[in-house]
Amino acid sequence: MAGLKEIRSQIGSIQNTKKITKAMEMVAASKMRRAKDRMEASRPYADKMRQVVSHIALGNLEYQHSFVKSRDTVKRVGYIIISSDRGLCGGLNTNLFKAAFQSIAEWKEKDVEVDIAVFGSKALSMFKKYGVVAEANGLGDAPTIDDMLGTIKVMLDAYEEGQIDRLYLVENEFVNSMTQTPRVSQMIPIVAAEMEELEYHWDYLYEPESKEVIDSLMTRYIESLVYQGVVENIACEMSARMIAMKSATDNAGDMIDKLKLAYNKARQAAITQEISEIVSGAAAVE
Amino acid sequence: MATTMHLDVVSAEESIYSGTVQELIAPGSMGDLGIMPSHSQLITTLKAGELKYKTEEGMSSLFVAGGIMEVQPTIVTVLTDTAVRAEDLDEKAAEEAKTRAENALQGKDPEDMDYEAVKAELDAAKAQIEMIHRIGKTLS
C-alpha cells in the first residue's frame, strides 16, 4: 500500500499537469478561432484566382502556360508538404505523413524520383533523409506569403526547368473542429476536373502580353494554394491540439479521481488499524 | 447601359474593399488605366501605386503593392500582392529556402533555437506520461 504522503504528492503533480493541459486547450481554442478567420479571409482571393485560372486553362486561348500542359513521361515528381512546427496536437502530423509516404511509395514503385519541399519543422525532421530541397519553418500563427515565396519558387523553377514533371501538395483539410483529414492533391499540371465548366468561351484582352500576364497569374495561383494550405494547417493544428489537450485534461481528471479513492482507502485503513490497536491495547491492560 | 460596377479588392491574406463604384483608375504596369462600367474583358498586371475609385460619395483611393486586375463588364476584381516583388528578391528568397534545407539536412541549424525548447517540452511531457503510467500500475 502506497504511503499517504506519496499519494498526496502524486495527486498534486497530476493536478499541475491538468492545469497546464487545460490552459493549452483554451489557448488552442482561441487561436483556432483566429486561424479560422484567417482561413475565411484568404478564401475570396483563392476563389477568384481559381475562376480566372480555370477560364484560362479551359479556354482555347492563344497562349498555353506550361502549368496547364501535362507531360507524358514522368521521371521525377515534387511534393510540397505542409506540417505544423510544434507537436502535442494528436495524430495530425502522423496521419499527414502517412498519406504522404503512401503517395511517395506509389511513385517509387514506378522508379520515379521524388523531390520534397516542406513547411513546418515537423515535416522537416520527418523527411530529412528523403532529400528535402527547400524548407520554411517557424512561420508562426499569422504566416505571410512573403515567408513562403522562396520555398514555392524553388519547386516552380524545378518544374519550369523540367527537373520535376508533377507537383503535389500534401496538406491537412479542415473539415470541422473535430475532424481534420490529410489530402494529397496535384497542383501542377493544373487539373481540369476541378474546374468549373464554362458555358461559353471568350478570351480576355491582355495588357501587357498574354504570356507575361498569365505567367504571373499562374505563379500567384500556386502561391495562393500553398498559402491557403498553410493557413488551413494552422487551423487544423489548433483544433487538433484543442482536442488532444481536452482529452489529456479529462484523463488527468480521471486519474485524480482514482488517486483520491486510493488515498481515502489508505486513510481509512490507517484509521481502522489505529482503532484496533488502541482497542486491543486497552483489552490487554484490563 | 450599366452606370456602376462592382469592385472587389482582395489580397491573399484579406479582403480589402468590396463595393459599388462608378469609375476606377488603376496603376497598370503599362500605365494608368481608367475603367468605366461595361468595359470589355481584360486582364492586366498592376504595378505598385494608387488605386482610385469613384463612388457616390466621391473619389477615394487605396494603395496596392502590385498584382493582377481582372475586368468584366460589371465586375472588377483586383488581386493585390501583399509583398512588393522584384525578380531578384524572389530569387534571393528561393536561395535562402534552399540553404535552410541544406543546413537542416547537415544537422546544423543556427536559426532554429526553438528546437531545444521543443525538446525540453517533449522531455517534460515524457516524464509526465511515465509518471502517470507508474501511478496507474500501483493503483490496479
Side-chain angles (χ1 to χ4, degrees):
Chain A
M1 176 70 67
L4 282 180
K5 210 174 159 207
E6 207 176 300
I7 299 181
R8 212 180 308 140
S9 76
Q10 281 173 346
I11 292 178
S13 85
I14 295 177
Q15 254 158 358
N16 285 339
T17 311
K18 190 181 166 187
K19 265 183 218 158
I20 294 168
T21 55
K22 184 84 198 162
M24 284 179 83
E25 181 194 333
M26 289 191 305
V27 169
S30 86
K31 277 188 178 172
M32 183 189 79
R33 268 195 294 279
R34 256 174 287 153
K36 264 168 82 178
D37 289 346
R38 213 166 284 125
M39 211 169 89
E40 299 294 328
S42 73
R43 210 159 266 165
Y45 183 86
D47 285 348
K48 199 67 206 178
M49 271 288 178
R50 197 170 300 127
Q51 275 173 26
V52 178
V53 167
S54 70
H55 181 87
I56 288 169
L58 283 180
N60 226 347
L61 310 185
E62 51 181 87
Y63 167 69
Q64 287 270 315
H65 192 266
S66 61
F67 290 176
V68 180
K69 285 179 267 184
S70 100
R71 296 175 188 162
D72 296 334
T73 52
V74 179
K75 291 193 206 75
R76 207 177 179 92
V77 293
Y79 279 89
I80 294 183
I81 299 171
I82 300 172
S83 79
S84 67
D85 275 334
R86 285 156 199 273
L88 294 180
C89 49
L92 185 75
N93 288 320
T94 325
N95 290 341
L96 183 80
F97 297 157
K98 248 186 235 160
F101 277 127
Q102 210 174 8
S103 170
I104 290 170
E106 278 168 22
W107 283 113
K108 293 253 172 170
E109 267 174 29
K110 296 179 205 157
D111 283 327
V112 175
E113 292 294 312
V114 172
D115 275 349
I116 300 170
V118 298
F119 286 94
S121 46
K122 289 286 160 190
L124 178 63
S125 54
M126 183 53 113
F127 291 96
K128 244 178 203 174
K129 46 183 177 290
Y130 300 94
V132 173
V133 291
E135 69 101 16
N137 67 47
L139 297 174
D141 295 333
T144 57
I145 279 208
D146 253 8
D147 300 329
M148 303 172 197
L149 288 182
T151 309
I152 300 167
K153 191 172 164 57
V154 171
M155 295 314 261
L156 294 187
D157 285 353
Y159 184 84
E160 298 243 345
E161 285 160 17
Q163 285 170 20
I164 55 172
D165 304 305
R166 292 270 172 88
L167 183 61
Y168 288 94
L169 180 69
V170 185
E171 60 183 340
N172 277 304
E173 188 184 358
F174 187 91
V175 183
N176 54 43
S177 19
M178 301 297 286
T179 326
Q180 301 85 34
T181 48
R183 174 175 56 195
V184 182
S185 53
Q186 181 177 323
M187 271 204 302
I188 312 177
I190 291 166
V191 197
E194 283 177 16
M195 313 263 176
E196 302 143 37
E197 271 299 326
L198 292 164
E199 283 167 12
Y200 54 97
H201 292 271
W202 36 266
D203 200 353
Y204 288 103
L205 298 170
Y206 296 96
E207 195 182 297
E209 290 297 303
S210 62
K211 184 177 178 306
E212 276 173 59
V213 177
I214 293 176
D215 280 354
S216 65
L217 185 74
M218 288 295 176
T219 315
R220 280 169 178 76
Y221 174 62
I222 300 298
E223 285 165 3
S224 87
L225 283 183
V226 177
Y227 175 79
Q228 269 218 314
V230 171
V231 174
E232 196 167 345
N233 190 63
I234 292 171
C236 288
E237 180 193 347
M238 291 310 163
S239 61
R241 178 167 302 135
M242 190 181 82
I243 307 287
M245 288 303 119
K246 183 165 171 30
S247 69
T249 310
D250 292 348
N251 287 345
D254 290 350
M255 207 87 242
I256 290 171
D257 288 347
K258 275 190 200 163
L259 280 173
K260 275 195 175 150
L261 190 67
Y263 175 77
N264 286 335
K265 272 186 185 161
R267 195 175 62 105
Q268 195 61 54
I271 292 169
T272 314
Q273 197 185 347
E274 217 169 291
I275 291 174
S276 71
E277 273 167 12
I278 291 169
V279 169
S280 58
V285 171
E286 274 171 20
Chain B
M1 186 89 176
T3 55
T4 58
M5 55 190 169
H6 191 79
L7 171 67
D8 277 315
V9 183
V10 291
S11 79
E13 287 163 23
E14 60 187 340
S15 175
I16 298 166
Y17 177 83
S18 176
T20 308
V21 299
Q22 294 162 346
E23 195 185 331
L24 170 73
I25 299 166
S29 55
M30 307 280 286
D32 281 6
L33 289 161
I35 308 285
M36 301 291 282
S38 307
H39 195 286
S40 63
Q41 288 91 347
L42 165 88
I43 287 193
T44 178
T45 49
L46 300 179
K47 62 180 184 208
E50 196 184 10
L51 179 83
K52 282 177 266 189
Y53 55 90
K54 188 172 159 196
T55 60
E56 281 175 0
E57 285 107 57
M59 291 297 278
S60 320
S61 71
L62 44 92
F63 176 78
V64 289
I68 292 167
M69 179 169 71
E70 191 222 10
V71 180
Q72 295 204 27
T74 54
I75 305 167
V76 177
T77 313
V78 178
L79 303 157
T80 76
D81 293 336
T82 42
V84 180
R85 293 175 184 250
E87 190 53 39
D88 49 340
L89 264 179
D90 284 3
E91 205 65 60
K92 205 172 138 239
E95 282 305 318
E96 278 170 9
K98 269 188 190 160
T99 326
R100 275 201 306 272
E102 278 157 18
N103 284 347
L105 291 186
Q106 284 159 16
K108 54 173 185 191
D109 206 351
E111 280 175 304
D112 197 358
M113 297 297 283
D114 255 356
Y115 185 72
E116 286 304 312
V118 170
K119 194 167 179 304
E121 213 176 319
L122 184 70
D123 287 346
K126 262 190 198 157
Q128 277 171 359
I129 292 166
E130 264 172 32
M131 193 192 71
I132 289 170
H133 274 295
R134 215 177 48 227
I135 295 165
K137 267 186 203 139
T138 51
L139 278 181
S140 52

